[in-house]
Amino acid sequence: MADATTRQWRLASRPTGEPTAENFDLVTVERPDPGHDEVLVRTLYLSVDPYMRGRMSAAESYADPWAVGDPMAAGVVGEVIESNHDGFEAGDVVTGNLLWAEHAVADGDELRQVDPELAPISTALGVLGMTGVTAYFGMTDVVEPVPGDTVVVSGAAGAVGSVTGQVASLAGARVVGVAGSERKCDWLTDDLGFDAAVNYREADDLGAALADACPDGVDGYFDNVGGPVTDAVFSLLNVRASVAVCGQISQYNATEQPTGPRKLGQVLQKRATVEGFLVGDYEDRWGEALTRLGAFIEAGDLSYRESVVDGFENAPEAFLGLFDGENIGKQLVAVADRE
Ligand SMILES: NC(=O)c1ccc[n+]([C@@H]2O[C@H](COP(=O)([O-])OP(=O)(O)OC[C@H]3O[C@@H](n4cnc5c(N)ncnc54)[C@H](OP(=O)(O)O)[C@@H]3O)[C@@H](O)[C@H]2O)c1
């Protein structure tokens, strides 16, 4: 591979508030060679995810901050170019957490084979990948709906929310989605089988709109967004309601910590359970979720959608779009075709 080059996106500076294109730097570097037990991967699809906003900040969180000047990391589906690992050979399609790069070297033990015959390979970053597994376990292990429950999902037309709402429907719940456009709400009710959807950006009175959509109150809430949407849902919690706190995207660009309390009185009065959820805690059960999600898709019970931005150079734009609600379903970047 002598003299071969590749491109990487690096963190140019830490954002204050909403990130901008200036926070990213596109650099050309020498293409790395795989060492012992390593694999050289050519990126086909790159995932952009809201949690990456946290890694752009210096604050410690469950994912370590990136250093300024360092390449950023992402979920990748790619093609093996060269392998020094027994489990992989050139041409294999794999997925793993690699760099925001056109080519990257990975420890083979950190990669997973993707079967292109099973489903489109991009799904390994979405419905049959991290966001699908998040949706599945967050709903089945934390919210745990039973038939007849009313379950609300915020961020409902996104990668996690669109799947988790359908998982709740399959468990027999009445499902209400909260999303940021009429187009998204129509997709939820017309195509995904949500029982109702509320456009939080357009509602004159969000609390009243949600109360209309949830005449029997809320037994389960899967929270992807936090902020005013969550305040409105908390006002409707029923006794012994279960809340899974999966994401708080409305707060990721905040320059000051929000002050509380935020409807904790409701948690007390309704003896509700509010539990934080992290997909990383389910590493050992990943296969279980993928088997169930795959079976749901095969049976025609689970639909998914992907929003794809073309071109490696457009990866920051795809990431920034998450904060403006540009995506429906899973946001991906198409980087290259398979050879
Ligand atoms: N805990 C875990 O293990 C885990 C794993 C994966 C993801 N997550 C979290 O789950 C959430 C969803 O992730 P995802 O990958 O599925 O992203 P996503 O929902 O596909 O994309 C983000 C969506 O958030 C919505 N949004 C942006 N700003 C908002 C605001 N101020 N208020 C309300 N909604 C806003 C936008 O949709 P609208 O048009 O509806 O505004 C946007 O499309 C994120 O908070 C993420 O951090 C957590």
Side-chain angles (χ1 to χ4, degrees), residues 251 253-259:
Q251 307 302 310
N253 295 324
T255 48
E256 285 174 16
Q257 281 293 318
T259 53

Side-chain angles (χ1 to χ4, degrees), residues 48-52 62 130-131 134-135 154-162 178-181 184 200-201 222-226 228-229 245-253 276-280 321-331:
V48 287
D49 295 272
Y51 80 91
M52 293 169 173
Y62 54 85
M130 188 273 279
T131 55
T134 300
S154 60
V160 173
S162 57
V178 183
S181 73
K184 291 183 179 187
Y200 76 93
R201 290 187 201 260
F222 190 103
D223 186 17
N224 282 311
V225 309
V229 171
V245 181
C246 174
Q248 297 282 285
I249 192 168
S250 73
Q251 307 302 310
Y252 293 173
N253 295 324
F277 169 86
L278 212 50
V279 68
L322 293 170
F323 299 95
D324 297 326
E326 297 287 338
N327 60 304
I328 297 192
K330 174 67 194 153
Q331 182 66 61

Side-chain angles (χ1 to χ4, degrees), residues 155-231:
V160 173
S162 57
V163 174
T164 206
Q166 294 178 84
V167 171
S169 284
L170 287 165
R174 180 172 182 281
V175 181
V176 177
V178 183
S181 73
E182 287 308 312
R183 192 167 142 243
K184 291 183 179 187
C185 288
D186 288 347
W187 179 56
L188 296 175
T189 52
D190 298 350
D191 297 340
L192 301 192
F194 281 52
D195 296 279
V198 173
N199 178 352
Y200 76 93
R201 290 187 201 260
E202 297 291 328
D204 290 334
D205 180 340
L206 179 59
L210 266 168
D212 273 354
C214 305
D216 299 324
V218 174
D219 304 296
Y221 175 41
F222 190 103
D223 186 17
N224 282 311
V225 309
V229 171
T230 292
D231 287 350

Side-chain angles (χ1 to χ4, degrees), residues 260-283:
R262 291 195 85 112
K263 306 274 180 165
L264 288 183
Q266 275 294 97
V267 176
L268 164 67
Q269 288 169 39
K270 301 296 166 58
R271 285 82 87 203
T273 304
V274 180
E275 186 173 336
F277 169 86
L278 212 50
V279 68
D281 292 341
Y282 286 81
E283 256 171 49

